[in-house]
Amino acid sequence: MLHHMTSEPEQQIGVGIQDAFQRLWTPHRMAYIQGENKPTGPGADDGCPFCSIPAKSDEDGLVIARGDTVYAVLNLYPYNGGHLMVVPYRHVADYTDLDEAETAELAAFTKRAMTALRTASGAHGFNIGMNQGSVAGAGIAAHLHQHVVPRWGGDTNFMPVVGHTKVLPQLLADTRKMLADAWPPA
């Protein structure tokens, strides 16, 4: 962690020392680091969270909107507030495996996600993309998902740069409701 407000992380041994609030604890990130909810294999029955989310209520699954072939869901480990993903219901790993209806609805949901994020949070811009395969950075490579990350001027402040920590100003359940309410009709 940080010592004397440097920008370089230092190894912490044991419980650490008191640091007068130079450290911001984010224990929820440990689930991601340890691979919680990560599939055990490539199949739909191998613990894929994207296959199990649609069976949950919108609130429990953090689902923003549901279509015929895809759904929009908040990212549990967001890069920015409002970071969501558009996910096909069908368990496919590669973009080229989508059929025409899935491809069209994924594109339409991406546009609707941008509209909802602009309406609900005044996003200035977006990072939109897919990581295809684990070597390309896909955390869950077996089930295709497209990220829609809202951006604002100045959203990269001292916290991620100096503190190596992302601060989210809202609970995910509240963000889900805000975006679901702002989701435009088809």
Side-chain angles (χ1 to χ4, degrees), residues 125-138:
F126 299 90
N127 292 118
I128 296 173
M130 300 177 206
N131 299 322
Q132 294 283 272
S134 58
V135 297

Side-chain angles (χ1 to χ4, degrees), residues 36-128:
E36 185 176 304
N37 296 325
K38 205 161 191 180
T40 57
D45 296 328
D46 293 328
C48 178
F50 295 135
C51 288
S52 64
I53 288 170
K56 298 177 181 181
S57 70
D58 289 354
E59 292 77 11
D60 289 341
L62 296 174
V63 174
I64 297 164
R66 297 173 189 261
D68 294 330
T69 62
V70 303
Y71 64 96
V73 62
L74 282 182
N75 190 321
L76 276 179
Y77 311 105
Y79 296 123
N80 250 354
H83 176 181
L84 61 87
M85 297 171 290
V86 179
V87 184
Y89 291 111
R90 193 164 61 96
H91 187 86
V92 297
D94 197 86
Y95 185 68
T96 61
D97 293 334
L98 294 178
D99 64 28
E100 294 302 316
E102 290 166 327
T103 302
E105 192 169 41
L106 187 131
F109 259 55
T110 300
K111 290 171 66 174
R112 291 167 72 190
M114 292 171 66
T115 299
L117 285 160
R118 283 187 179 124
T119 299
S121 66
H124 297 150
F126 299 90
N127 292 118
I128 296 173

Side-chain angles (χ1 to χ4, degrees), residues 26 43-44 47 72-73 77 93 101 125 138 140 142 152 157 161 164-166 173 179 182 185:
T26 56
V73 62
Y77 311 105
I140 300 176
W152 297 268
N157 60 27
V161 176
H164 304 284
T165 301
K166 177 64 80 174
L179 292 175

